Amino acid sequence: MSGLRRKTAYVLLRVYKASFSLVFYAAGARCQHKPTCSEYGAECVARHGWWPGGWMAIARFIRCRPGGSFGYDPAPETKPDVPAWLPWRYGDWTSGGRHFPNQTIENPPEA
């Protein structure tokens, strides 16, 4: 990926973080993931390039809503092998909780 496209992606993510993200935060909408959606987007673009990383970031942003996914959701290490004409398949569109690694879930004691 060329340096200009990567820098453009980072500038757009910084603009989002400095503007829309603050507006959402003031309205009570907060990112439900760790790392945050803007950090996730920057990591995806850095690892996988502008096109696949952008689709991964869009999918994550859409999942970050009430009733969507939440929890620990790091950027994928490897890029999915999908054809160029199906770019939305780069993203993970599934909802539901994502647990932190090595997190034990204890059952409540039986009464």
Side-chain angles (χ1 to χ4, degrees):
M1 182 166 131
S2 76
L4 180 61
R5 288 187 290 174
R6 184 171 297 196
K7 287 179 185 177
T8 303
Y10 289 144
V11 166
L12 290 173
L13 287 168
R14 279 191 163 176
V15 167
Y16 164 76
K17 200 165 188 171
S19 60
F20 295 113
S21 180
L22 295 176
V23 172
F24 292 146
Y25 191 82
R30 289 163 177 78
C31 187
Q32 301 177 27
H33 294 97
K34 295 290 181 205
T36 65
C37 291
S38 55
E39 293 167 353
Y40 179 90
E43 185 70 26
C44 285
V45 169
R47 283 187 187 171
H48 307 297
W50 171 264
W51 188 247
W55 279 98
M56 291 175 190
I58 289 169
R60 166 72 175 274
F61 182 73
I62 290 173
R63 284 187 287 129
C64 190
R65 59 177 168 68
S69 63
F70 57 89
Y72 181 69
D73 186 23
E77 294 288 330
T78 60
K79 178 174 66 171
D81 186 28
V82 297
W85 61 87
L86 300 173
W88 56 87
R89 292 200 176 168
Y90 286 119
D92 176 11
W93 303 90
T94 58
S95 293
R98 300 167 193 304
H99 301 288
F100 285 90
N102 301 328
Q103 179 184 17
T104 58
I105 300 172
E106 295 183 20
N107 295 329
E110 307 258 345

